[in-house]
Amino acid sequence: MKKYAVPKYMTVLVPFSFLLVCVILFAPSAFRMLNTESAVTFKNIFNGIFLESIPFVLAGALLSSLLHLWIPEQMISRWVPNNPLLAILIACTAGIIFPICECGMIPLVRRLIQKGMPVYMAMVFILAGPILNPVVYGSTYAAFRSHPEMVYARMGLALIVATAIGLILYATMRSSPLKMSLAQINGQSMPRHRHQGGRITAVFVHTADELFAVGKYLILGCLLTAGIQTFIAKDSLTSIGSHPLGSYAFMMGFAFVLSLCSTSDAFVASTFLHSFSSGSLLAFLVLGPMLDFKNLMLLLSAFKARFVAFLAFLILSLVFVLSFLTDRVLLHLN
């Protein structure tokens, strides 16, 4: 018996039709909900997070496409030194040179790994880059102008955490954590580009593919983050910060939930300067760019869940311990 494939448009048409029926049936109550203050707050928060993130995701997708189509696989492998400490130093330097937000790092790092960069080196780049770059340094200095030690502590702590995670991954990783191999990516993308009329056109086509592949996770992360910020009472959470260790848990959870860009999170942290310890503020400033809800969704779009869970555990543990120790050092110096 001959089998007929289901048209691709049916996979979109069926759920869209169901959604349309629900909107028609429940439109009056749905429209009333859209006029509430919470709905307006949700919309504004979502728009702010999404519009702040999408330029960096687009930049990362564009750089990923340029790497994919213009850089041979053997080139990056030849540039990677055998010494892990030297490789980590190069990754940190690259993070300083290329001021890309954490949102745009995911597609770029995935392509770098597929081109031959070791996982540990790529993770150092993705963790250190969003904090060590000059733009973030300038914004942090502007926010903590009266407390310059916070600026240097943030940069130093980010460098130590990224280096430690890079060394741990160097010692433990034995297989690629990517969801798709380079051969699979090429098998899906190159046949389309072969008929598009040149490399320039192929760059834009591949950039669109990367953007749509990562974009759905970005939108999901923005929606959930906006919902958490809108419907969770902040006053009740602030009371937790009065506990010595509770302040660390609160500020780290706050960084994870807010999903702020690393160029603007210092101004939020500075508002807590007289209410929370320096260590908890450092935990907020270092954890957010390395691991927040939006970034977690993007990591899961490119890497296996087991690897993402292991990476999250390392980030949370090291940021908590090292920020606590740094706080003790700052208290001793003052």
Side-chain angles (χ1 to χ4, degrees):
M1 181 180 295
K2 185 177 181 180
K3 296 183 179 180
Y4 294 93
V6 178
K8 289 185 178 180
Y9 66 85
M10 290 298 293
T11 60
V12 179
L13 183 60
V14 173
F16 178 77
S17 302
F18 176 76
L19 179 62
L20 182 62
V21 171
C22 292
V23 170
I24 293 173
L25 291 176
F26 303 104
S29 59
F31 288 139
R32 282 195 298 270
M33 289 178 61
L34 292 176
N35 293 325
T36 63
E37 183 179 351
S38 296
V40 174
T41 303
F42 177 87
K43 181 189 70 174
N44 291 337
I45 293 175
F46 172 80
N47 289 338
I49 297 174
F50 181 78
L51 293 177
E52 188 180 57
S53 304
I54 195 64
F56 297 101
V57 175
L58 180 60
L62 180 60
L63 289 173
S64 170
S65 301
L66 292 172
L67 281 173
H68 176 55
L69 296 168
W70 293 84
I71 304 299
E73 283 80 359
Q74 298 80 10
M75 183 177 295
I76 293 180
S77 299
R78 289 199 301 265
W79 288 351
V80 175
N82 294 325
N83 189 322
L85 289 177
L86 182 58
I88 288 173
L89 178 62
I90 292 174
C92 292
T93 305
I96 297 173
I97 295 174
F98 299 101
I100 303 175
C101 180
E102 63 270 18
C103 304
M105 285 285 193
I106 306 299
L108 176 60
V109 165
R110 180 177 65 177
R111 186 62 59 189
L112 287 171
I113 295 175
Q114 291 166 346
K115 288 288 183 177
M117 178 177 284
V119 175
Y120 73 92
M121 186 177 178
M123 288 301 105
V124 171
F125 176 61
I126 201 175
L127 295 177
I131 300 178
L132 297 180
N133 69 74
V135 177
V136 175
Y137 175 85
S139 66
T140 308
Y141 183 81
F144 291 94
R145 191 180 302 272
S146 60
H147 295 78
E149 70 277 2
M150 292 292 294
V151 183
Y152 306 126
R154 182 187 193 184
M155 301 298 146
L157 189 61
L159 180 62
I160 294 172
V161 171
T163 301
I165 291 178
L167 292 174
I168 292 172
L169 293 178
Y170 172 77
T172 58
M173 291 298 301
R174 294 294 179 265
S175 61
S176 174
L178 294 173
K179 283 186 174 180
M180 299 179 67
S181 65
L182 181 60
Q184 291 173 311
I185 295 291
N186 287 339
Q188 291 185 3
S189 60
M190 292 311 292
R192 290 186 58 186
H193 300 154
R194 194 174 294 134
H195 304 287
Q196 296 300 318
R199 281 192 173 186
I200 301 300
T201 304
V203 167
F204 288 105
V205 172
H206 194 273
T207 299
D209 291 341
E210 288 277 1
L211 186 61
F212 281 108
V214 177
K216 57 181 179 288
Y217 293 93
L218 174 66
I219 293 174
L220 176 61
C222 291
L223 285 171
L224 294 175
T225 302
I228 292 171
Q229 292 189 44
T230 302
F231 299 109
I232 292 181
K234 296 181 177 61
D235 294 337
S236 61
L237 292 177
T238 306
S239 61
I240 304 174
S242 59
H243 191 276
L245 293 181
S247 62
Y248 285 86
F250 171 75
M251 292 306 294
M252 291 174 70
F254 202 43
F256 182 81
V257 168
L258 284 182
S259 299
L260 294 172
C261 181
S262 58
T263 58
S264 58
D265 57 359
F267 296 98
V268 175
S270 63
T271 62
F272 296 93
L273 192 57
H274 301 292
S275 304
F276 289 83
S277 64
S278 299
S280 61
L281 296 181
L282 284 174
F284 175 89
L285 292 170
V286 175
L287 179 69
M290 291 186 177
L291 183 70
D292 57 33
F293 198 94
K294 169 172 51 64
N295 200 24
L296 180 65
M297 293 293 103
L298 296 176
L299 284 170
L300 289 172
S301 72
F303 300 97
K304 298 174 183 177
R306 180 179 297 180
F307 172 78
V308 175
F310 180 57
L311 181 65
F313 170 77
L314 292 177
I315 294 172
L316 290 169
S317 302
L318 288 172
V319 168
F320 174 77
V321 172
L322 293 177
S323 60
F324 182 82
L325 294 176
T326 304
D327 185 49
R328 304 277 79 78
V329 173
L330 292 176
L331 287 175
H332 179 73
L333 294 176
N334 292 331

